[in-house]
């Protein structure tokens, strides 16, 4: 992405002869300066502030200075703005340049520069490795930056002269801060730049706050049903993060993810991972998916790090995180937080994130995970992180108005008349329920053999073949009165598991021509796998078609909730309950006559059973 002479220079809407080709020639120019995908996310937050203004031409460039350039070309293409090669961007006069990071030769931009934080304020200490480069992105240091003593702590990124000054003068015309505590630290660290400070709130936080009423929608998008708890595992980047392998913190991740799948019952918990874009694009999305393949097959949802991570935080019941901004945002909106890693030495001790590390409970890696998650949720005090919330922004809900005022003041034109400054609402993610292709160990028990069919079901993933069970529930040594069977997805990577499966599952539309219709697929599966007792074809939320070894073809349909919405419990759990009912010597006729009640944790699911003629 670094500009070179070989890169095609734009001729429209800027360039030496652009006046010959443009349609709107009198536009003011606003240049968004991207360093990597991480910083671009904050620029996308503020992009709508220029919407509907025919006086402004938006442009974008990439400095090419960040080590994390993967994903940037695709992101810039998706935004649809004219992309200037960096060499051309440095030569092009603009009325305003907006950056969400330091680095690159920002001092060469020909126009006023406004710099925003791309996280929750300024917290991390980052060393500058040599006199010609900033960290984490390339740029220039101030002349005295090299005189720091070897034992002195690294400067706080975004608040020290190393980042804020060039030739002793402020680099930016506007240093955007979200809270006065940042201004206090800025005045102490770099008084020369204090005059450029603009208190303008936090647009990312404001988008979170505005979307809080849609929590239930975001939960349903992830397939989280009423009574389920969503556990979000979050990690920033660096070896000291939760995803990292720094020996000083211990490499927790390899054991954490499979234990979450094994110890948290699948129908009572849902897990998702929010990983920093520098993890995704530093190691490669394909590598991340390969590293987390086992966890994904066990039901872990990988959340889009650009678009949907905020929705996942809002939907979460508990966040297992570290010293990154996302974990801090989770605490600020009132979510219970457990810290799986927290390298305090990487932070400014006076920063709010460091204070969170002194306040939030730590995950105990060798104790039962379910007990810790439940304790964090059940005993959570909504006011526990009130101080952290107050330090995110001194103007919650007002960042759009404050930022637009600052931006247009630098451009030198009035704000658009009669139109409020607005940020984009968070999008509603696509419906993405868990689809487990790892084998599932199912424990079941008929809870009232004398009445209508009622079956308790506990399902946990154990794809290593070991005897795992949910923490504190049957399967961890207390199996008395519970029966066990194995359910396996037809697409399991280990076909040998299909030979010993009691239940085989497939998820597809009823009219999918590749595998459907359900009657044909279920007959085919039972014919191919003589050890299988039940074939299950899941067609949608709350619905599946099953065929028994005795030849009965049945349709199971979960009754909607009191609000009329579909029951989002995995229909494979209903099928396992029916299998347990029949394996206990009960009849299909009883199930058809009254339906069955499936109990998962504290939730009872009414399921109608009908014969398919």
């Amino acid at each position: 992405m670094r500009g070179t002479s070989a890169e095609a220079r734009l001729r429209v809407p800027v360039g030496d002869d652009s006046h010959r080709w443009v349609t709107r020639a009198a536009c003011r120019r606003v240049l968004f300066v991207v360093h990597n995908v991480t910083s671009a996310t904050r620029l996308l937050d503020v992009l709508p502030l220029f919407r509907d203004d025919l006086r402004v031409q938006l442009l974008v460039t990439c400095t090419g200075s960040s080590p994390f350039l993967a994903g940037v070309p695709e992101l810039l293409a998706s935004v649809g703005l004219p992309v200037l090669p960096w060499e051309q961007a440095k030569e092009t006069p603009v009325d305003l340049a907006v950056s969400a990071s330091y680095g690159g030769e920002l001092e060469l931009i020909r126009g006023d520069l406004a710099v925003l934080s791309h996280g929750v304020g300024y917290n991390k200490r980052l060393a500058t490795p040599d006199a010609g480069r900033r960290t984490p992105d390339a740029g220039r240091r101030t002349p005295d930056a090299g005189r720091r003593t070897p034992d002195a702590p690294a400067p706080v990124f975004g608040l020290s002269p190393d980042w804020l000054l060039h030739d002793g003068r402020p680099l930016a015309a506007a240093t955007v801060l979200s809270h006065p505590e940042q201004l206090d630290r800025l005045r102490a660290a770099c008084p020369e730049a204090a005059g450029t400070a603009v208190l303008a709130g936090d647009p990312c936080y404001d988008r979170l706050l505005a979307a809080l009423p849609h929590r239930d929608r975001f939960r349903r998008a992830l397939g989280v049903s009423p009574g389920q708890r969503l556990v979000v595992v979050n990690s920033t980047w660096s070896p000291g993060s939760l995803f990292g392998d720094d020996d000083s913190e211990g490499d927790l991740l390899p054991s954490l993810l499979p234990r979450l799948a094994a110890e948290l019952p699948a129908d009572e918990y849902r897990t998702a991972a929010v990983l920093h874009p520098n993890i995704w694009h530093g190691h490669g999305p394909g590598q991340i998916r390969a590293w987390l393949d086992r966890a994904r097959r066990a039901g872990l949802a990988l959340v889009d790090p650009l678009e949907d991570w905020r929705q996942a935080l809002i939907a979460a019941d508990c966040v297992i995180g570290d010293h990154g901004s996302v974990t801090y945002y989770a605490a600020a909106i009132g979510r219970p937080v457990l810290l799986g890693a927290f390298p305090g030495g990487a932070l400014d001790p006076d920063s709010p994130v460091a204070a969170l590390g002194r306040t939030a409970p730590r995950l105990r890696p060798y104790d039962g995970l379910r007990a810790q998650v439940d304790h964090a949720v059940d005993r959570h005090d909504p006011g526990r992180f009130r101080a952290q919330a107050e330090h995110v922004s001194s103007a919650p809900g007002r960042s759009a108005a404050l930022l637009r005022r600052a931006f247009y003041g630098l451009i030198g034109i009035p704000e658009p008349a009669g139109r409020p400054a607005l940020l984009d609402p968070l999008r509603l993610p696509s419906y993405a329920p868990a689809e487990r292709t790892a084998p599932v160990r199912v424990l079941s028990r008929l809870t009232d053999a004398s009445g209508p069919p009622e079956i308790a079901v506990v399902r946990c993933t154990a794809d290593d073949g070991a005897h795992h069970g949910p923490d504190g529930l049957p399967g961890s040594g207390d199996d008395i009165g519970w029966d066990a069977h194995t359910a396996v997805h037809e697409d399991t990577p280990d076909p040998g598991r299909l030979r010993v499966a009691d239940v085989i599952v497939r998820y597809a539309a009823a009219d999918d021509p590749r595998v459907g219709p359900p009657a044909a697929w279920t007959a085919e599966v039972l014919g191919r796998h003589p050890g299988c007792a039940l074939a299950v074809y899941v067609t949608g939320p709350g619905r599946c078609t099953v065929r028994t070894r005795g030849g009965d073809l049945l349709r199971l349909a979960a009754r909607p909730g009191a609000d009329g919405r579909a029951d989002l419990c995995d229909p494979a759990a209903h099928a396992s309950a029916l299998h347990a009912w029949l394996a206990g010597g009960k009849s299909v006729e009883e199930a058809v006559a009254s339906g069955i009640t499936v109990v998962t944790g504290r939730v009872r699911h009414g399921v109608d059973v009908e014969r398919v003629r």
Side-chain angles (χ1 to χ4, degrees):
M1 291 298 302
R2 181 178 291 279
T4 67
S5 58
E7 272 190 282
R9 298 169 68 91
L10 289 190
R11 296 180 62 188
V12 184
V14 297
D16 294 338
D17 58 350
S18 62
H19 63 279
R20 298 177 55 192
W21 313 111
V22 295
T23 300
R24 297 191 64 84
C27 287
R28 302 297 180 99
R29 296 170 179 172
V30 174
L31 176 67
F32 287 91
V33 183
V34 171
H35 296 79
N36 48 41
V37 171
T38 306
S39 66
T41 59
R42 183 53 53 93
L43 299 181
L44 294 178
D45 282 337
V46 303
L47 189 64
L49 299 180
F50 300 97
R51 184 179 291 146
D52 292 323
D53 193 341
L54 295 174
R55 302 170 299 167
V56 175
Q57 170 68 60
L58 302 179
L59 308 165
V60 65
T61 189
C62 176
T63 64
S65 57
S66 171
F68 301 101
L69 291 178
V72 172
E74 294 82 1
L75 175 60
L76 297 187
S78 70
V79 173
L81 296 177
V83 180
L84 273 68
W86 178 236
E87 294 302 319
Q88 183 180 7
K90 292 186 294 184
E91 302 169 1
T92 301
V94 296
D95 298 282
L96 172 65
V98 183
S99 175
S101 185
Y102 293 90
E105 300 162 301
L106 297 182
E107 70 277 4
L108 298 183
I109 289 176
R110 297 179 62 186
D112 284 337
L113 174 67
V115 180
L116 293 74
S117 166
H118 60 258
V120 58
Y122 297 95
N123 306 282
K124 293 183 179 180
R125 293 188 179 277
L126 293 173
T128 341
D130 60 68
R133 300 183 66 84
R134 300 176 187 268
T135 298
D137 303 315
R140 295 188 180 179
R141 295 170 60 194
T142 55
D144 62 344
R147 294 201 290 268
R148 193 180 302 110
T149 60
D151 295 331
V156 178
F157 179 65
L159 291 183
S160 76
D162 300 68
W163 319 109
L164 296 171
L165 303 181
H166 175 71
D167 290 338
R169 292 175 296 185
L171 183 68
T175 303
V176 179
L177 308 176
S178 65
H179 194 277
E181 71 84 17
Q182 297 164 22
L183 179 56
D184 292 340
R185 289 189 289 137
L186 172 64
R187 286 171 173 156
C190 186
E192 301 93 330
T196 68
V198 176
L199 286 170
D202 183 326
C204 176
Y205 186 55
D206 284 355
R207 295 182 72 193
L208 275 164
L209 293 178
L212 287 176
H214 303 309
R215 169 176 162 84
D216 286 343
R217 295 181 187 177
F218 298 151
R219 289 171 67 81
R220 290 195 295 271
L222 284 164
V224 180
S225 62
Q228 275 190 317
R229 286 180 166 173
L230 174 62
V231 179
V232 172
V233 179
N234 163 245
S235 179
T236 188
W237 68 283
S238 82
S241 69
L242 180 58
F243 201 87
D245 57 2
D246 187 339
D247 290 338
S248 64
E249 286 288 324
D251 194 356
L252 174 62
L253 198 72
S255 64
L256 175 64
L257 293 179
R259 286 185 58 206
L260 284 172
E263 297 180 26
L264 302 185
D267 301 306
E268 299 169 55
Y269 297 83
R270 181 85 164 89
T271 57
V274 173
L275 304 179
H276 194 284
N278 286 359
I279 299 177
W280 274 94
H281 298 293
H283 293 282
Q287 179 64 76
I288 299 305
R289 286 189 287 269
W291 276 338
L292 300 183
D293 179 68
R294 181 183 176 190
R296 292 168 60 225
R297 288 189 287 107
L300 177 77
L302 280 181
V303 177
D304 185 320
L306 180 63
E307 291 283 354
D308 297 338
W309 64 268
R310 284 169 282 216
Q311 293 89 321
L313 288 192
I314 292 171
D317 292 289
C318 181
V319 174
I320 299 175
D322 55 19
H323 62 299
S325 292
V326 172
T327 302
Y328 193 95
Y329 279 126
I333 62 171
R335 298 299 172 260
V337 167
L338 291 172
L339 298 178
F342 205 87
L347 300 170
D348 179 356
D350 296 326
S351 69
V353 173
L356 176 66
R358 296 188 290 267
T359 305
R362 300 297 180 104
L363 183 75
R364 301 183 302 277
Y366 303 109
D367 291 347
L369 296 177
R370 178 174 183 170
Q372 293 184 72
V373 168
D374 286 349
H375 184 272
V377 176
D378 295 337
R379 302 295 181 88
H380 180 59
D381 175 4
R384 179 171 195 169
F385 302 124
R386 184 174 292 115
Q388 281 69 39
E390 292 174 351
H391 280 93
V392 175
S393 171
S394 59
R398 297 174 51 217
S399 67
L402 295 172
L403 284 169
R404 193 175 76 171
R405 183 187 308 164
F407 289 159
Y408 275 83
L410 292 173
I411 296 172
I413 59 175
E415 295 181 63
R419 294 200 302 272
L422 300 172
L423 305 174
D424 278 344
L426 298 184
R427 72 176 189 179
L428 182 62
S430 301
Y431 178 57
E435 183 174 330
R436 294 173 179 81
T437 58
V440 175
R441 185 170 185 267
V442 185
L443 300 172
S444 61
R445 182 172 64 185
L446 276 60
T447 60
D448 187 355
S450 63
E454 182 171 306
I455 309 99
V457 171
V458 179
R459 301 188 307 147
C460 286
T461 305
D463 65 350
D464 56 4
H467 179 79
H468 289 291
D471 181 23
L473 285 178
S476 56
D478 181 17
D479 291 346
I480 298 175
W482 292 77
D483 296 312
H485 68 266
T486 301
V488 181
H489 194 292
E490 189 185 28
D491 288 341
T492 176
D494 183 1
R497 293 294 183 91
L498 294 172
R499 292 194 295 269
V500 297
D502 301 289
V503 175
I504 296 178
V505 184
R506 158 68 66 183
Y507 296 78
D511 60 353
D512 189 330
R514 300 168 300 169
V515 292
W521 178 86
T522 54
E524 176 186 325
V525 166
L526 290 183
R528 183 182 300 124
H529 303 286
C532 176
L534 196 73
V536 184
Y537 192 113
V538 177
T539 55
R543 303 187 305 277
C544 65
T545 299
V546 304
R547 188 183 293 273
T548 70
R549 177 56 63 184
D552 296 290
L553 187 63
L554 307 169
R555 183 178 294 113
L556 277 59
R559 297 163 196 155
D563 58 2
R565 291 192 168 101
D567 186 335
L568 296 184
C569 180
D570 186 353
H574 306 157
S576 277
L578 179 65
H579 168 72
W581 175 259
L582 299 177
K586 304 299 182 178
S587 69
V588 169
E589 284 70 22
E590 291 176 90
V592 171
S594 59
I596 61 175
T597 299
V598 182
V599 181
T600 59
R602 301 176 182 176
V603 181
R604 297 161 62 88
H605 311 269
V607 180
D608 292 324
V609 182
E610 64 173 333
R611 291 187 181 275
V612 179
R613 304 295 181 184

